Amino acid sequence: MTTRRDFLTAAAGLALMPGGAALAADARFTIQGDDFLLDGKPLHIMAGEMHYPRIPRELWRDRLRKLKALGLNTLCTYVFWNAHERRKGIYDFSGNLDIVQWIRTAQEEGLWVLLRPGPYICGEWDSGGYPAWFLDDPDIRPRSLDPRYMLPSGDWLKRLGQEIAHLEIDRGGPILMTQVENEYGSYGNDLAYMRAVKDQVRAAGFAGTLYTVDGAAVIENGALPELFNGINFGTYDKAEKEFERFSRFKPTGPRMCTELWGGWFDHFGEMHASMPIPPLIDSLKWMLNQRISLSFYMVHGGTSYGFDAGANFDRNSQTYQPDISSYDYDAMLDEAGRPTPKFEAARTLFKNYLPADRFPTLPEPEKAIEIKRFRLTQSAPLTQLLGKLVTATAPQTLEQLGQPHGLVLYRHRTKSALSGTLSFDEVRDYAQVSVAGIPAGTLDRRYHETALDIAAKKGATIDVLVDTMGRINYGDRIGKDQKGLIGNVKLGETVLTGWDHYGLPLDDLSPLTFSKAHVDGPAFHRGTFEVTEAGYTFLDLRGWGKGYVWVNGHNLGRYWSVGPQHAVFVPAPWLKVGQNEVIVLDLHAGAERSLAGGKNQIWDRPGLVEA
């Protein structure tokens, strides 16, 4: 059993942190025997995962300093392909997507980096990071040697390499290792494919140490034994048992829990996930005593802004499970970046093992501000943003229309009077149906709803407004979750042909013209509120229906009355002292159009609804 003195002595002899460019330029990271070596000295990797698109750029340094204040020495980060290449061949590495600055900021704060470029990342992120534009055909086989997949994958990795390969440790950067694919053993077992991805990573210019991650139970399916292999597990799993499994696959070499799940994510319509602290501490104690490296997933989750939250699919119940926009994850730092009791418990434990200089002072906390309830007094109909008309015999998916996200209005004009059951092969993901402008009902994919009864006169319009939620990011349906109306639409046994399509990507709200006139049906509602000091808040959306929220032009993500999330986080950098503008798109009619700002997220919890 390792004692505190043994661990402190070993820690004192570990390689120094990357304090500056001069040290990093001379550093060399290798694996020898059972150790990671940095400049020839053992390195015990203690990492935490954070994601740059989920944290406003102005807060990156604050969050990284808090990661370091926990006693950690390494940042672990995914790279989000679909965020950087939303349109084919058009790349964005600016603003909140400036991954070079994200990695350099980590280095400036004395942190090493584990890079996870995928190209598949899971991450409760839309389609696991795959762009919508190359998955317009559900026959494409992601995560395989299908050239329709491998060619764009290779092109993306090469483009990414141009941005960040020079930040590997041997070239003066902080990147210790670069991951190949992501938990592939839970998906397939084609090691030829894995080696092809490895070759693409090398061809992209990543010359340093590569690694894979998998669950210990499926590691033979996905791990390349010639690389370093990490394992992922949760705090309810016994760490000792997981590493016993791992040792049967690879008895020698460094050991690392590359994702230690100390929290979990949430789906719409469920209770907020919460994981207790004691099992986490037990796992940490055992790994620290064995000097096993580790990475928290997540140390801070943040928020999946805009349209970026993903979804799961329960194979047993065949049920679609969309993720909420909050990525709080019940993590060490909450959605607003505040240390939680879990953070304090881990930090207290780490102080028994690590030198005192591993624990810098936490940054000054940001201020949480309250906003008195105010009315949104102006409205504009959703139809003001209808895109260019596209006609087709059968309904087209968003991907076929070249639209990455948002809503689509499908319209059919009847050629004769109709009455009966209107049915759809599939609705992805939430539809409002109206006939001649009169609401006829809603269809929710979570409940397998695909039909409703209607009656329409000759020449009447049947409108189907489809709101899309996250694409499935895990399991065998990755890449097969195209959005909109799927397949045929029937009235009884008759296929309805001839459809108009109007896209609503919601990327630009500037064409909206607001007024104080009452608006029926789906509409945008606008209001203003005053802020007298810098800080963050949570906008209370109880009483609203389903839609999206923008503050000062920033899309804060989805909300839905089904919970468990009933407020949206507004980070301090996106508020300004003085007047602020909020726009809420609500798909449901309702009399109450007001908001207030509070200091905390509002969760549904088992047996409790927080006030």
Side-chain angles (χ1 to χ4, degrees):
M1 177 71 69
T2 302
T3 66
R4 181 176 185 272
R5 174 178 289 182
D6 293 335
F7 200 99
L8 287 169
T9 301
L14 295 182
L16 296 174
M17 307 271 274
L23 171 63
D26 296 331
R28 295 293 183 271
F29 178 81
T30 58
I31 293 174
Q32 188 176 98
D34 293 340
D35 291 315
F36 298 117
L37 296 182
L38 185 61
D39 295 332
K41 297 178 182 178
L43 173 65
H44 182 229
I45 297 174
M46 295 181 66
E49 184 115 5
M50 293 184 182
H51 300 148
Y52 54 101
R54 285 174 159 141
I55 307 168
R57 179 174 176 147
E58 298 90 337
L59 299 176
W60 285 353
R61 195 174 298 275
D62 172 84
R63 302 304 192 256
L64 292 168
R65 285 178 175 174
K66 288 171 180 172
L67 182 152
K68 190 175 180 184
L70 183 57
L72 307 182
N73 59 12
T74 304
L75 165 71
C76 195
T77 183
Y78 280 135
V79 182
F80 299 77
W81 179 7
N82 58 2
H84 293 284
E85 194 184 1
R86 293 199 185 275
R87 303 282 181 181
K88 184 178 181 180
I90 301 174
Y91 298 96
D92 185 1
F93 291 96
S94 64
N96 234 73
L97 299 177
D98 187 351
I99 188 171
V100 171
Q101 190 55 45
W102 173 240
I103 294 171
R104 287 201 182 282
T105 304
Q107 184 176 25
E108 291 165 5
E109 293 302 322
L111 295 165
W112 303 110
V113 172
L114 299 177
L115 185 71
R116 311 181 74 187
Y120 164 73
I121 61 167
C122 188
E124 290 70 61
W125 191 262
D126 187 50
S127 202
Y130 291 141
W133 53 260
F134 94 100
L135 294 174
D136 60 339
D137 181 355
D139 289 334
I140 294 174
R141 291 178 289 115
R143 309 184 80 181
S144 80
L145 291 171
D146 183 343
R148 296 171 295 177
Y149 169 76
M150 291 299 289
L151 288 173
S153 164
D155 289 344
W156 156 244
L157 288 170
K158 282 183 180 178
R159 182 64 184 82
L160 178 64
Q162 293 172 17
E163 292 290 322
I164 60 173
H166 69 283
L167 293 173
E168 289 184 307
I169 185 170
D170 285 358
R171 294 183 252 184
I175 298 174
L176 298 176
M177 297 192 289
T178 300
Q179 184 178 308
V180 175
E181 240 271 359
N182 185 56
E183 294 186 311
Y184 177 71
S186 299
Y187 178 85
N189 58 6
D190 185 354
L191 295 188
Y193 159 71
M194 283 294 292
R195 290 192 169 92
V197 178
K198 179 188 73 173
D199 291 344
Q200 287 188 338
V201 174
R202 287 292 190 217
F206 294 96
T209 302
L210 304 182
Y211 72 112
T212 65
V213 305
D214 286 288
V218 293
I219 195 165
E220 293 86 353
N221 293 341
L224 297 178
E226 65 267 25
L227 304 181
F228 167 68
N229 313 122
I231 57 172
N232 301 344
F233 53 85
T235 54
Y236 285 122
D237 304 309
K238 293 291 186 182
E240 185 173 5
K241 183 177 178 181
E242 296 299 305
F243 279 104
E244 284 176 0
R245 290 178 180 172
F246 173 75
S247 294
R248 293 196 289 270
F249 171 75
K250 182 174 276 190
T252 60
R255 291 179 295 168
M256 180 173 181
C257 175
T258 36
E259 286 188 14
L260 178 60
W261 309 319
W264 205 244
F265 54 90
D266 296 301
H267 299 129
F268 277 114
E270 299 178 2
M271 293 294 175
H272 176 51
S274 180
M275 296 179 70
I277 294 173
L280 172 65
I281 299 303
D282 290 343
S283 292
L284 290 173
K285 279 182 181 177
W286 187 85
M287 286 190 284
L288 288 169
N289 287 334
Q290 305 298 317
R291 295 203 62 248
I292 291 172
S293 291
L294 60 96
S295 180
F296 290 107
Y297 192 99
M298 303 285 295
V299 75
H300 171 54
T303 308
S304 301
Y305 296 107
F307 310 96
D308 288 325
N312 284 85
F313 190 84
D314 187 299
R315 295 179 67 179
N316 293 326
S317 62
Q318 295 291 291
T319 299
Y320 171 73
Q321 301 168 306
D323 296 331
I324 66 173
S325 291
S326 172
Y327 202 56
D328 176 88
Y329 213 87
D330 191 35
M332 303 284 187
L333 302 171
D334 73 3
E335 186 176 8
R338 294 172 291 199
T340 66
K342 199 172 289 184
F343 179 100
E344 299 299 340
R347 194 173 193 233
T348 298
L349 173 68
F350 291 162
K351 285 182 176 179
N352 292 325
Y353 290 85
L354 300 173
D357 61 6
R358 285 285 291 268
F359 301 93
T361 303
L362 277 163
E364 286 295 316
E366 299 173 83
K367 186 174 181 61
I369 59 176
E370 294 184 339
I371 299 167
K372 291 182 179 179
R373 185 159 294 277
F374 62 97
R375 285 193 176 276
L376 284 70
T377 58
Q378 298 180 319
S379 299
L382 177 64
T383 52
Q384 285 189 7
L385 290 187
L386 291 181
K388 183 179 178 181
L389 170 64
V390 176
T391 60
T393 301
Q396 304 295 291
T397 65
L398 263 72
E399 292 77 9
Q400 290 169 327
L401 295 169
Q403 182 178 322
H405 48 239
L407 292 80
V408 173
L409 176 63
Y410 296 85
R411 176 168 289 166
H412 173 80
R413 190 173 298 276
T414 62
K415 299 179 178 64
S416 60
L418 300 174
S419 180
T421 300
L422 182 70
S423 63
F424 304 84
D425 285 356
E426 194 170 355
V427 173
R428 298 180 185 168
D429 300 297
Y430 182 86
Q432 293 177 304
V433 181
S434 60
V435 178
I438 300 173
T442 60
L443 300 172
D444 187 337
R445 181 184 180 187
R446 297 176 306 140
Y447 299 125
H448 314 278
E449 294 173 345
T450 59
L452 47 72
D453 292 334
I454 66 165
K457 296 179 181 179
K458 179 180 179 180
T461 57
I462 299 174
D463 283 355
V464 185
L465 179 65
V466 177
D467 180 24
T468 67
M469 288 178 279
R471 293 177 180 85
I472 293 167
N473 58 257
Y474 182 83
D476 57 8
R477 293 189 176 228
I478 297 168
K480 302 184 184 304
D481 195 23
Q482 288 70 32
K483 294 301 185 180
L485 295 182
I486 308 300
N488 291 319
V489 182
K490 295 180 180 179
L491 197 289
E493 295 301 317
T494 302
V495 174
L496 300 184
T497 59
W499 287 89
D500 295 339
H501 304 72
Y502 299 92
L504 291 151
L506 306 182
D507 292 325
D508 180 10
L509 304 189
S510 62
L512 290 173
T513 301
F514 287 89
S515 73
K516 292 189 176 182
H518 176 76
V519 177
D520 289 322
F524 296 92
H525 306 277
R526 184 171 70 177
T528 60
F529 59 93
E530 295 285 332
V531 170
T532 59
E533 57 183 333
Y536 62 83
T537 195
F538 290 85
L539 287 180
D540 181 353
L541 283 149
R542 288 175 294 185
W544 293 76
K546 185 181 193 300
Y548 302 82
V549 184
W550 291 260
V551 168
N552 296 329
H554 297 278
N555 187 336
L556 303 178
R558 301 180 177 98
Y559 71 91
W560 196 358
S561 59
V562 299
Q565 172 186 355
H566 294 285
V568 291
F569 174 58
V570 190
W574 294 356
L575 289 173
K576 53 190 177 184
V577 175
Q579 189 175 85
N580 295 263
E581 178 191 69
V582 59
I583 296 175
V584 179
L585 168 61
D586 200 327
L587 301 181
H588 296 276
E592 178 62 27
R593 295 302 180 203
S594 69
L595 293 170
K599 296 181 179 181
N600 296 297
Q601 181 58 265
I602 303 168
W603 292 117
D604 289 336
R605 299 181 189 271
L608 171 70
V609 177
E610 287 193 355

